[in-house]
Amino acid sequence: MRSDGRAVSTAVHYIMTLMVVSLLTSGLFVVTGDVVNSQRDQALRGGMEVVGNRVAADIAATDRLAATAGDNGDVVMKTRLPDDIAGETYQIRIEDTGSMGSYEIKVTNGGGGVSVTVPVRTQIPVETGIVHGGDIVIRYDTDTLVVEHA
Amino acid sequence: MADVTRERAQLLITSSFALAVLLIGIALVLNTAIYTENLATRDSDRGKDVLRLRDDVEAPISALIQHVNYNDTYDSYGHVNSEFAKELATVSDTVGKYGALDGNAVHVSAARTKGLRLEQTQKRTYTNASSGANWTLVDGGDDIEQIRHFQMEISRSGVASTCEPFMDCFYVTVANDSESWRMSAEKLSGNVFIKVEDSEGEHECGKYDEDVTVKITGEGIQQEPIEQATYEEEACKEAFRAVAGMDGPYEVTYANGDEIEGTYELSVATNSPLSTEDNFDDQPRLSWIVYDADVRVTYRTTDLYYESTFRVVPDEE
């Protein structure tokens, strides 16, 4: 009788241990998984903001240089950008806001869930369009700034 | 019992594997964040070196043109041009070496415009080399489209006192096909009176008790007049602005040059000798100059190419 009770106790103890460990482990996964995902989203957004600002800064810099270069001048600026941000591809869209010399750099991830917009103002018109992530080139091409894939 | 032990180990392995994946995920996110920070803190004001380079080149080349032009009197353009080319090579080398220190390839070259300086450097009457008092410095037929740095130092003691302005007093005329601008100098009671005539009519441009410096293609008379009563300040300034803004081809003539004394100079852009060159010899004289330069600057790094051509004209006034 006494030895039966001891055997039951071992089995119950084992199952209990298994349950508690499983519970703790799955809890850990759920919580950290969420943390990782939210951190990843933040990193993605942060990365896209930086890329957008970088493109805007280089467009503005090319604009300033082109303004001093004159009609026969030539300016080509290469901007080194990551191929992906937080493991996601992205694209850069240049849009005309409609008001003179004012443009928006819209960076969108491949999934399309996150989008960041950075405004830029130039003296020389910028050609609107889309380029995919990775190194880009900003070129002063007869009175227009053109952004294209490097 | 042996089976139970194996199952417990499987749970442990699965859990630790999943934990490892989570840790790698966190590491990757951190890595992305670090890369983003790196990208964000890179120099965002690119091209400022290029803008500085342009200033660094423009001022020395302007000074270089001045230096070469005034360093000597040149009887041929080839002579002044080779002097300029020698000095320009030094500027280009220096700029190139400084660029190379930062890993940039910088090159400077300049296409020059031929020109002549017409000048009288010794104080004498404003007559030509053969003492003619009414003579032409620049003839309309020579198609001179650019004049700069036309200035006079009028000596008070040499200005005639019994004459009529724009009649028998000294006067200079700057004209093109449609407009004409004149300036006359006379002396009354020991003071110099300057009068200017433009399309608006005649203007009193002041009374002076000293030598008078006049920048004809610049800001006009440099001294303050001793009496404001007869000084038509605005009209005078406007008249000098008008002559500075006049289009070519220009004709510049002196009338009654024996009624004044002093020095003067003006520079013109021309490819060929002037038809009036017989009016010049030792004083007044002609000297070939580099009139201006179209400077071409190229700047190349791994990520930036910049090329610009700009005109450098020293002291265009």
Side-chain angles (χ1 to χ4, degrees):
Chain A
M1 188 64 186
R2 194 175 169 193
S3 67
D4 277 359
R6 282 170 75 187
V8 170
S9 166
T10 306
V12 169
H13 182 247
Y14 173 67
I15 289 163
M16 292 283 283
T17 309
L18 213 61
M19 278 171 65
V20 168
V21 168
S22 310
L23 209 69
L24 284 174
T25 321
S26 54
L28 184 71
F29 290 158
V30 170
V31 171
T32 45
D34 273 357
V35 169
V36 169
N37 269 336
S38 88
Q39 289 299 316
R40 197 181 142 280
D41 276 357
Q42 276 186 35
L44 179 66
R45 185 172 286 279
M48 282 162 56
E49 267 172 19
V50 168
V51 164
N53 278 296
R54 189 136 198 96
V55 172
D58 282 359
I59 286 178
T62 311
D63 178 52
R64 279 196 299 276
L65 290 179
T68 66
D71 292 342
N72 301 322
D74 198 2
V75 183
V76 182
M77 187 179 279
K78 186 174 180 182
T79 306
R80 293 179 189 273
L81 297 174
D83 290 336
D84 54 59
I85 304 170
E88 281 213 45
T89 56
Y90 63 97
Q91 60 184 27
I92 302 159
R93 184 193 294 268
I94 291 139
E95 289 177 356
D96 195 342
T97 60
S99 79
M100 188 76 176
S102 177
Y103 298 88
E104 279 182 351
I105 316 291
K106 202 167 266 180
V107 186
T108 317
N109 67 337
V114 185
S115 180
V116 169
T117 304
V118 180
V120 65
R121 190 169 275 278
T122 62
Q123 291 174 40
I124 298 166
V126 184
E127 197 175 278
T128 55
I130 300 175
V131 279
H132 292 284
D135 294 352
I136 59 163
V137 163
I138 305 161
R139 188 190 303 279
Y140 172 50
D141 191 9
T142 52
D143 300 340
T144 318
L145 297 179
V146 181
V147 181
E148 55 196 20
H149 207 271
Chain B
M1 193 65 189
D3 284 351
V4 169
T5 313
R6 248 198 315 274
E7 263 189 39
R8 284 171 78 181
Q10 275 171 2
L11 187 68
L12 261 176
I13 286 168
T14 319
S15 309
S16 31
F17 185 72
L19 257 176
V21 170
L22 272 176
L23 286 172
I24 288 169
I26 291 171
L28 281 175
V29 168
L30 275 176
N31 195 29
T32 303
I34 288 167
Y35 180 73
T36 304
E37 289 297 311
N38 172 303
L39 204 63
T41 50
R42 279 187 204 168
D43 185 9
S44 62
D45 191 15
R46 295 167 70 197
K48 65 176 187 291
D49 286 350
V50 182
L51 295 175
R52 206 162 45 213
L53 168 77
R54 195 186 147 134
D55 291 340
D56 287 351
V57 167
E58 195 165 357
I61 289 189
S62 174
L64 189 64
I65 295 175
Q66 290 278 64
H67 166 72
V68 170
N69 287 346
Y70 284 98
N71 198 31
D72 209 343
T73 308
Y74 303 94
D75 53 10
S76 79
Y77 178 71
H79 190 183
V80 62
N81 189 36
S82 71
E83 285 292 315
F84 181 80
K86 226 168 20 192
E87 301 285 345
L88 180 70
T90 314
V91 172
S92 182
D93 274 2
T94 310
V95 171
K97 277 175 190 157
Y98 274 105
L101 290 175
D102 296 328
N104 313 323
V106 184
H107 185 257
V108 178
S109 61
R112 283 80 92 175
T113 308
K114 281 184 185 181
L116 275 169
R117 185 171 67 245
L118 294 62
E119 65 181 356
Q120 177 163 295
T121 53
Q122 291 164 12
K123 194 172 120 183
R124 65 185 281 282
T125 56
Y126 282 12
T127 51
N128 67 8
S130 48
S131 303
N134 300 301
W135 60 289
T136 303
L137 289 89
V138 176
D139 190 75
D142 286 335
D143 278 338
I144 301 298
E145 294 288 345
Q146 294 180 73
I147 288 187
R148 66 172 160 84
H149 207 244
F150 188 4
Q151 60 180 52
M152 292 178 175
E153 289 272 349
I154 299 169
S155 164
R156 186 174 66 98
S157 59
V159 180
S161 49
T162 50
C163 60
E164 195 63 31
F166 302 114
M167 296 291 284
D168 51 354
C169 283
F170 164 80
Y171 63 91
V172 53
T173 308
V174 180
N176 62 17
D177 292 340
S178 54
E179 299 168 84
S180 168
W181 181 95
R182 301 197 296 174
M183 186 189 81
S184 162
E186 66 171 321
K187 192 158 70 183
L188 289 173
S189 322
N191 297 313
V192 178
F193 284 77
I194 304 287
K195 280 198 169 99
V196 168
E197 184 193 76
D198 62 5
S199 55
E200 305 287 315
E202 236 178 79
H203 312 290
E204 293 283 349
C205 288
K207 173 180 172 184
Y208 306 89
D209 60 354
E210 56 185 340
D211 293 355
V212 185
T213 304
V214 190
K215 292 189 172 177
I216 293 175
T217 49
E219 290 152 353
I221 300 161
Q222 299 301 294
Q223 286 89 343
E224 279 295 312
I226 53 169
E227 211 176 81
Q228 291 290 331
T230 55
Y231 179 42
E232 297 173 51
E233 188 175 357
E234 271 315 305
C236 281
K237 285 186 174 166
E238 193 49 53
F240 279 104
R241 273 196 289 271
V243 69
M246 201 189 268
D247 292 327
Y250 300 100
E251 178 154 302
V252 181
T253 54
Y254 283 174
N256 312 311
D258 53 348
E259 303 291 333
I260 195 169
E261 264 181 29
T263 59
Y264 57 87
E265 71 164 270
L266 75 151
S267 297
V268 299
T270 178
N271 277 320
S272 45
L274 297 177
S275 61
T276 54
E277 65 180 349
D278 289 346
N279 288 326
F280 300 87
D281 191 14
D282 181 40
Q283 288 290 327
R285 67 186 181 191
L286 291 171
S287 174
W288 283 99
I289 56 164
V290 173
Y291 185 84
D292 64 22
D294 282 329
V295 179
R296 181 168 170 267
V297 174
T298 58
Y299 176 99
R300 190 193 299 269
T301 66
T302 47
D303 288 347
L304 177 62
Y305 177 76
Y306 174 86
E307 182 188 316
S308 173
T309 306
F310 50 94
R311 184 164 171 256
V312 176
V313 194
D315 198 5
E316 197 159 18
E317 291 183 341

